[in-house]
Amino acid sequence: MDNQMVKNGNKVLKTEAVVHYLLSRIRHAGVDPELLPGEMELCEKFKVSRVTVRRAIESLIAGAYIIRLPKRRGAFTNPEMAKSIPYPVGIAVDMGYTFSIDGSAAMALSGFLKKMGSDENCSWLYIYLNISSGESLENIIENNNLQGLFWISPCEKIFPELRRLTERRFPVVSIGTPFTSYYPVLEKNTILRNYAQSGEDIARFLLENGLRRPVYCGYPNESFRRFVEVLGKEGICFNPENLLAEPGEIEEKLPSLIERNKIDSISSSGAACRYNPLMKVLSGHPEGRRIALLLERSPITLQYKRDYPNLNIRLNGENTIQKYMYRAGIQAAELFQKLIRNPGMVYDPVVIS
Amino acid sequence: MDNQMVKNGNKVLKTEAVVHYLLSRIRHAGVDPELLPGEMELCEKFKVSRVTVRRAIESLIAGAYIIRLPKRRGAFTNPEMAKSIPYPVGIAVDMGYTFSIDGSAAMALSGFLKKMGSDENCSWLYIYLNISSGESLENIIENNNLQGLFWISPCEKIFPELRRLTERRFPVVSIGTPFTSYYPVLEKNTILRNYAQSGEDIARFLLENGLRRPVYCGYPNESFRRFVEVLGKEGICFNPENLLAEPGEIEEKLPSLIERNKIDSISSSGAACRYNPLMKVLSGHPEGRRIALLLERSPITLQYKRDYPNLNIRLNGENTIQKYMYRAGIQAAELFQKLIRNPGMVYDPVVIS
């Protein structure tokens, strides 16, 4: 790695940080010209050199955002430009390092940006959070003058900080992880998945296909409870032996369930840790092809379906995680706009299917 | 800034970089277990400590992506996990620093992610480029095993590198800036705005509203040429005096055009540098309210309309820059998928309205 390049790269990022800060001051100042902080104060605030601060100021003078009065009277905001400066919103995923986002988080982001962009009354600037730059979340919010945060699947470690922000009535909207109902979620201003609905969808699929003796691979969560409830209403009593909660139970117990309990179907949530042993057991068992294997439709499960053409793999419904996350992103933008319009409000979770 | 936090933050980012690299090796290895590079080799490659490399490997062993054989025979890819690893795609805006994206770039990203996510045959991991981390673009591509790049409004400085990648048949799809037809654009694998169409839209709007003596504020580009052409076909000869190319000409020349040339309308492209003097001249002129001021619909122009209720501001059409950029993002994803499906191909620009 070339050290000179590191330096240059950081310089650009640091200039940009100062530019963002000054722009936010200009917008905030509105119709009255306001004296901006002096160069030394900015150097101190951003821990950058005078050259960096000057570069930031010069670029804003060139764009007419800042007016410099002669005889060292200082740099002032240009009120005429105030309205063309968008409001900064922070975007974060997981821990807030924003190195990468996976397909489902990307769909949430897509939905969020689409909905935010369709509000013609406000223009936004999206800033990817980069907590690893070493600043605290509070500092990042202050220095970028963020008006709010959109956090996709925040990890538990960051919850205390997000709760504090919500207590202070700073707008933070989150989307809980769509993969498991066991993962903890925030209590306020959040979009949550209706897991019960997916349990109901699986039960309905079984009923429609005349399958009556299912194995359920997954933890006994909300989704499982509704699954059992819906089957029960139709006179099907779910055999508790047929619940394989831990991925490790699949190889151990599934063969005997096929033989002894005469199961006709398997529903599995989760990832490769469950899918791989399922494929292994079913491929190797003489009755494996008879059994309907019901999986959530996704690029990965489609790949399994292609790789195991001899198994009876069924991908349920149209309601994929990708589509759910897109809807969740749209809902998150609606909630975000509600928070911006109603400062001081805090909302209960929005639970969607 | 807390130095300990900087260190911890960087450590996490560095671990993640090693994890991404190893995941890409696992996916690439496919059905055969492959010996992964040793710890020292990884330390050297990523310029990180042995602790960082070990942390990356341990997390992948925990997830069953890597199998470690005893007696120092090394760490191997787990073929069973190969198919659940998505393909990494780099996302960049402007220079590729990814600090922030504005509302229109956000719409392009939204469209791109939506379209990419609707392809159920492939799962993607999106990595925001951060050239400022000091690595070259080539290094970033190699270390993250990127399968392609999506670049929104690349700035001219990065063109040579992007052209080299395209020559090597590496998939890079870009969207040219939607704001001006003067800005240079890439020649291949790019989505470009049909500026002529927006000139035609403006001319049609004038014709529909019986406006025959327009001023055109903007550079005499493609859009302007079509504008003049469409008016000409309807028997309206555009008066060349009524072209105000430079923003600075507005305050100077507009008053006399109102009085002498009896103009009935003004069409302006651009930003605050044109909008502000227009508002100033029209507000201060006794005939200012008579003149239809035609602007492109956007959050900013809506704000002007609210701020100057006494002026005759008309926001044209439904075809806003935001909506255009969303469509451009979708087109970019289609082009990207075409490039992935047809390695070695290079496509001419896709010009859309």
Side-chain angles (χ1 to χ4, degrees):
Chain A
M1 210 183 289
D2 179 334
N3 270 323
Q4 192 52 43
M5 282 198 64
V6 180
K7 266 199 201 150
N8 288 340
N10 282 343
K11 250 185 221 164
V12 175
L13 267 190
K14 282 176 177 171
T15 308
E16 213 183 323
V18 181
V19 166
H20 278 305
Y21 174 73
L22 293 173
L23 280 175
S24 75
R25 292 283 301 247
I26 296 158
R27 198 203 45 236
H28 200 75
V31 293
D32 296 312
E34 192 182 278
L35 178 64
L36 289 166
E39 290 179 7
M40 288 312 295
E41 195 180 328
L42 291 169
C43 293
E44 181 61 28
K45 185 175 178 64
F46 289 92
K47 304 270 184 279
V48 295
S49 70
R50 196 130 179 182
V51 177
T52 301
V53 163
R54 283 197 179 145
R55 194 186 295 123
I57 292 174
E58 289 307 325
S59 77
L60 291 171
I61 289 174
Y65 290 99
I66 289 181
I67 301 159
R68 181 143 54 193
L69 295 188
K71 296 186 189 167
R72 294 174 172 268
R73 272 177 297 170
F76 285 81
T77 64
N78 180 357
E80 291 200 337
M81 300 304 277
K83 66 173 68 59
S84 42
I85 298 167
Y87 289 88
V89 176
I91 306 275
V93 182
D94 193 25
M95 281 293 288
Y97 300 139
T98 68
F99 198 85
S100 59
I101 61 174
D102 67 16
S104 60
M107 289 302 272
L109 182 60
S110 174
F112 182 82
L113 296 177
K114 178 82 193 297
K115 183 74 194 169
M116 291 292 280
S118 67
D119 175 7
E120 291 188 326
N121 290 310
C122 221
S123 67
W124 307 99
L125 180 80
Y126 305 96
I127 297 184
Y128 295 104
L129 288 210
N130 188 357
I131 296 181
S132 65
S133 72
E135 286 176 294
S136 72
L137 192 47
E138 307 255 331
N139 260 346
I140 291 173
I141 288 169
E142 202 209 311
N143 287 341
N144 293 289
N145 194 29
L146 296 184
Q147 302 299 300
L149 285 176
F150 171 47
W151 210 296
I152 303 168
S153 306
C155 87
E156 208 181 345
K157 274 190 211 165
I158 203 85
F159 281 11
E161 279 197 78
L162 299 184
R163 285 193 187 110
R164 264 200 303 279
L165 290 170
T166 297
E167 273 162 28
R168 280 174 34 204
R169 300 300 187 263
F170 182 81
V172 181
V173 170
S174 64
I175 295 180
T177 174
F179 296 107
T180 160
S181 65
Y182 276 95
Y183 200 84
V185 292
L186 287 164
E187 302 77 20
K188 295 292 177 184
N189 299 345
T190 190
I191 312 295
L192 302 180
R193 191 171 185 196
N194 184 346
Y195 281 100
Q197 186 60 49
S198 64
E200 181 164 338
D201 290 347
I202 299 167
R204 299 243 170 265
F205 181 89
L206 296 179
L207 292 167
E208 279 161 24
N209 288 275
L211 301 163
R212 302 178 61 87
R213 288 183 305 279
V215 156
Y216 187 98
C217 297
Y219 295 111
N221 57 13
E222 241 183 284
S223 175
F224 174 70
R225 281 190 293 275
R226 176 74 68 90
F227 172 77
V228 170
E229 186 188 307
V230 172
L231 289 182
K233 276 185 193 156
E234 302 293 326
I236 297 172
C237 180
F238 181 80
N239 181 347
E241 278 185 356
N242 290 356
L243 170 67
L244 301 179
E246 296 292 338
E249 294 177 78
I250 293 170
E251 281 197 64
E252 184 193 332
K253 297 184 181 168
L254 187 57
S256 86
L257 294 182
I258 296 174
E259 293 145 27
R260 200 159 37 85
N261 291 6
K262 295 288 169 208
I263 61 161
D264 56 15
S265 53
I266 301 170
S267 147
S268 175
S269 63
C273 62
R274 286 202 176 85
Y275 298 154
N276 285 331
L278 280 171
M279 303 300 155
K280 196 171 162 187
V281 171
L282 291 177
S283 305
H285 197 284
E287 292 180 59
R289 295 180 192 195
R290 169 176 69 75
I291 291 160
L293 177 57
L294 186 59
L295 307 177
E296 185 153 44
R297 180 185 294 270
S298 77
I300 291 165
T301 55
L302 270 160
Q303 184 62 43
Y304 277 104
K305 199 170 154 68
R306 278 192 296 267
D307 290 350
Y308 295 91
N310 291 328
L311 292 181
N312 181 12
I313 296 177
R314 317 266 192 97
L315 305 181
N316 73 335
E318 289 304 302
N319 194 12
T320 65
I321 283 195
Q322 314 271 327
K323 288 180 187 167
Y324 161 76
M325 285 298 268
Y326 186 76
R327 286 195 301 277
I330 289 174
Q331 290 286 327
E334 281 178 11
L335 186 53
F336 188 87
Q337 289 164 345
K338 240 164 91 177
L339 284 169
I340 296 286
R341 279 194 306 270
N342 306 293
M345 290 294 288
V346 172
Y347 295 94
D348 283 331
V350 177
V351 180
I352 64 167
S353 296
Chain B
M1 211 183 286
D2 179 335
N3 270 322
Q4 192 53 43
M5 281 198 66
V6 180
K7 267 198 199 148
N8 287 340
N10 283 342
K11 251 186 221 163
V12 176
L13 267 190
K14 282 174 177 171
T15 308
E16 213 183 324
V18 181
V19 165
H20 277 306
Y21 174 73
L22 292 173
L23 281 175
S24 75
R25 293 283 302 247
I26 296 159
R27 198 202 44 238
H28 200 74
V31 293
D32 295 314
E34 192 181 279
L35 179 64
L36 289 166
E39 289 180 8
M40 288 313 292
E41 195 180 327
L42 291 168
C43 292
E44 181 62 28
K45 184 172 178 65
F46 288 92
K47 305 269 183 279
V48 295
S49 71
R50 196 131 179 182
V51 177
T52 301
V53 164
R54 282 197 177 147
R55 193 185 295 123
I57 292 174
E58 289 306 325
S59 77
L60 291 171
I61 288 174
Y65 291 99
I66 289 180
I67 301 158
R68 180 142 56 193
L69 294 188
K71 295 185 188 167
R72 293 173 172 269
R73 273 176 297 170
F76 285 82
T77 64
N78 179 358
E80 290 201 337
M81 300 304 276
K83 66 173 67 59
S84 43
I85 298 167
Y87 289 89
V89 176
I91 306 275
V93 183
D94 192 25
M95 282 293 288
Y97 300 138
T98 68
F99 198 85
S100 60
I101 61 173
D102 67 16
S104 60
M107 289 302 273
L109 181 59
S110 174
F112 182 82
L113 296 177
K114 178 81 193 294
K115 183 74 194 169
M116 291 291 281
S118 68
D119 175 7
E120 290 188 328
N121 290 311
C122 221
S123 68
W124 306 99
L125 179 80
Y126 305 96
I127 298 185
Y128 294 103
L129 288 210
N130 189 357
I131 297 182
S132 64
S133 72
E135 286 175 294
S136 71
L137 192 48
E138 307 255 332
N139 260 346
I140 291 174
I141 289 169
E142 201 209 312
N143 287 342
N144 293 288
N145 193 29
L146 297 184
Q147 302 299 302
L149 286 176
F150 171 48
W151 210 297
I152 303 168
S153 307
C155 86
E156 208 180 344
K157 275 190 212 166
I158 203 86
F159 282 10
E161 280 198 77
L162 299 184
R163 286 193 188 110
R164 265 199 303 279
L165 290 170
T166 297
E167 274 162 29
R168 281 175 31 206
R169 300 300 186 262
F170 181 81
V172 182
V173 169
S174 64
I175 295 180
T177 173
F179 296 107
T180 161
S181 65
Y182 276 96
Y183 199 85
V185 292
L186 287 164
E187 303 77 20
K188 295 290 177 187
N189 299 346
T190 190
I191 313 295
L192 302 180
R193 191 170 183 194
N194 183 345
Y195 282 99
Q197 186 61 48
S198 64
E200 181 165 337
D201 290 347
I202 299 166
R204 299 244 171 264
F205 181 89
L206 296 179
L207 292 167
E208 278 161 24
N209 288 274
L211 301 163
R212 302 179 60 90
R213 291 184 303 278
V215 156
Y216 187 98
C217 297
Y219 295 110
N221 58 12
E222 242 183 283
S223 175
F224 175 70
R225 282 190 292 276
R226 176 74 68 89
F227 171 79
V228 170
E229 186 187 308
V230 172
L231 289 182
K233 276 186 194 155
E234 302 293 326
I236 297 173
C237 179
F238 182 80
N239 181 348
E241 280 185 353
N242 290 356
L243 170 68
L244 301 178
E246 296 293 338
E249 294 176 79
I250 293 170
E251 281 197 64
E252 185 194 329
K253 296 183 181 168
L254 187 57
S256 85
L257 295 181
I258 295 175
E259 293 146 28
R260 201 160 37 84
N261 291 7
K262 294 289 169 207
I263 61 159
D264 55 15
S265 53
I266 300 169
S267 147
S268 174
S269 62
C273 62
R274 286 202 175 86
Y275 298 154
N276 285 331
L278 280 171
M279 303 298 155
K280 196 170 162 187
V281 171
L282 292 177
S283 305
H285 197 283
E287 292 180 61
R289 294 180 191 194
R290 171 176 67 74
I291 292 159
L293 176 57
L294 186 58
L295 306 176
E296 186 153 44
R297 181 184 294 269
S298 77
I300 292 164
T301 56
L302 270 160
Q303 184 62 43
Y304 278 105
K305 199 169 154 66
R306 279 192 296 268
D307 291 350
Y308 295 90
N310 292 327
L311 293 182
N312 182 9
I313 296 177
R314 316 267 192 97
L315 305 181
N316 74 334
E318 289 304 304
N319 194 11
T320 65
I321 283 195
Q322 313 272 327
K323 287 180 187 167
Y324 161 76
M325 285 298 269
Y326 186 77
R327 285 194 303 276
I330 289 174
Q331 290 287 327
E334 281 178 9
L335 186 52
F336 188 87
Q337 288 163 346
K338 241 165 90 177
L339 284 169
I340 295 286
R341 279 195 307 268
N342 307 292
M345 290 293 290
V346 172
Y347 296 94
D348 283 332
V350 178
V351 180
I352 64 168
S353 296

